[in-house]
Amino acid sequence: MDMKRADFAGSWYPATAPACEKEILEFLDDTSIRPLPEKAYRAGIVPHAGWFFSGALACRVIHTLRSGGVPDVIVLFGKHLGPRDSATVMVKGGLETPFGPIAIHEPFALSLADTLNLSIEGTSSARPENTRELQFPFIRYFFPDVPIVPVGAPPAPLSATIGRETVRMARAMGLSLRVIGSTDLTHYGPNYGYSPAGRGAQAVDWVKQENDRRMIDRMLAMDEQGILNEALTAYNACCPGAVVAAVAAARAMGAEHGDLAGYTTSYDKRPDDSLVGYAGVLFS
């Protein structure tokens, strides 16, 4: 079987199953992440930095998606793409994780590719890509026998169509579904060439209370166009296409609003002039 190697294991997250499980259990005990209402969540947004920075949020969101039962397939939207880039999908093979491989749901992935004219991504030939790989160990741990479909969603209105069509096609094939969108929020400071609020405490406060807050509000309101507009003008989401696709899919599954699982920044873990924001959101 063609296999997408785990390029970030041993650096952005642990390389072995026991070490991954130890961190996952610690993440689930993290009291900084607010308790969520008991609902049958169908979709969520996760951050994709190294586990040290944002793993607790991603872990909690993916774990909470079990509240609605175990699905037939999980669709994971992510990938760093520009507005003019093609949407992509992996259609065959497997994805390496420390807990063992995850199979790609080939019939569903091929159907998506054909219907939506998505570009095909290889597995063994794929470049390192953190937005989706950082979620693979969590998915394998909490949904050990569930195949997935990794989709690359560009920051364009097309991604809303992809989200809606993903749900329609899953229903047509008789498949139950969970959807995950992967994005970090504002990338601020000299490392990223973006410092409209200067440096120091005022800059950190601006990122947290203004720039990231506007994007989180748009996510919670499930405002697809607002998400795109925010990201393309205020640079407060690095993979807004993934968010739009996940929100559109959530709406198609009957979700009406989002719940915030938590918010943090890299500054909270390691203070620096450059920082990144992270949020976890669930839709019901």
Side-chain angles (χ1 to χ4, degrees):
M1 177 171 66
D2 255 2
M3 189 69 63
K4 171 69 179 71
R5 63 171 291 179
D7 295 293
F8 297 92
S11 54
W12 290 40
Y13 61 91
T16 68
C20 279
E21 182 172 43
K22 181 177 182 294
E23 289 208 19
I24 286 171
L25 295 176
E26 290 172 356
F27 292 153
L28 293 178
D29 286 336
D30 189 338
T31 57
S32 69
I33 300 176
R34 68 186 65 186
L36 287 159
E38 292 192 11
K39 301 178 182 179
Y41 293 104
R42 296 290 190 268
I45 303 299
V46 295
H48 55 237
W51 282 17
F52 172 79
F53 291 105
S54 67
L57 278 176
C59 178
R60 187 63 61 88
V61 169
I62 294 171
H63 172 259
T64 304
L65 286 175
R66 289 179 57 93
S67 63
V70 178
D72 296 317
V73 62
I74 293 171
V75 174
L76 174 59
F77 295 110
K79 199 171 184 183
H80 294 294
L81 296 170
R84 296 185 180 182
D85 289 330
S86 298
T88 67
V89 62
M90 291 184 178
V91 299
K92 65 178 181 179
L95 308 157
E96 182 183 36
T97 84
F99 297 115
I102 306 174
I104 291 174
H105 196 299
E106 296 185 21
F108 189 43
L110 286 168
S111 183
L112 283 175
D114 291 343
T115 302
L116 294 168
N117 195 30
L118 306 183
S119 297
I120 304 299
E121 287 186 71
T123 44
S124 58
S125 62
R127 295 178 179 179
E129 201 279 307
N130 64 296
T131 70
R132 293 170 301 186
E133 183 185 326
L134 272 288
Q135 320 310 329
F136 293 161
F138 295 134
I139 293 170
R140 181 64 172 78
Y141 185 80
F142 293 120
F143 299 92
D145 299 314
V146 177
I148 79 168
V149 177
V151 176
L158 168 65
S159 288
T161 301
I162 292 171
R164 288 189 289 270
E165 284 296 295
T166 294
V167 176
R168 185 191 66 78
M169 293 173 63
R171 287 174 175 158
M173 296 176 70
L175 299 172
S176 59
L177 180 67
R178 297 289 178 278
V179 170
I180 301 168
S182 174
T183 191
D184 291 340
L185 302 182
T186 304
H187 286 57
Y188 189 93
N191 288 356
Y192 309 110
Y194 183 63
S195 304
R199 296 191 180 187
Q202 65 180 17
V204 176
D205 187 65
W206 180 82
V207 169
K208 291 182 175 183
Q209 303 301 327
E210 296 187 40
N211 216 43
D212 280 354
R213 186 68 246 180
R214 290 197 308 273
M215 176 55 72
I216 291 169
D217 287 345
R218 299 282 64 75
M219 290 181 185
L220 297 178
M222 304 183 72
D223 178 0
E224 298 161 21
Q225 191 58 52
I227 290 164
L228 275 182
N229 292 345
E230 272 293 326
L232 295 176
T233 58
Y235 309 107
N236 47 8
C238 65
C239 295
V243 181
V244 167
V247 165
R251 280 197 179 279
M253 288 188 283
E256 297 179 345
H257 72 279
D259 290 317
L260 183 64
Y263 169 77
T264 189
T265 72
S266 61
Y267 188 92
D268 299 314
K269 287 282 191 176
R270 186 177 293 163
D272 190 79
D273 281 340
S274 295
L275 65 147
V276 180
Y278 315 113
V281 177
L282 285 142
F283 300 106
S284 63

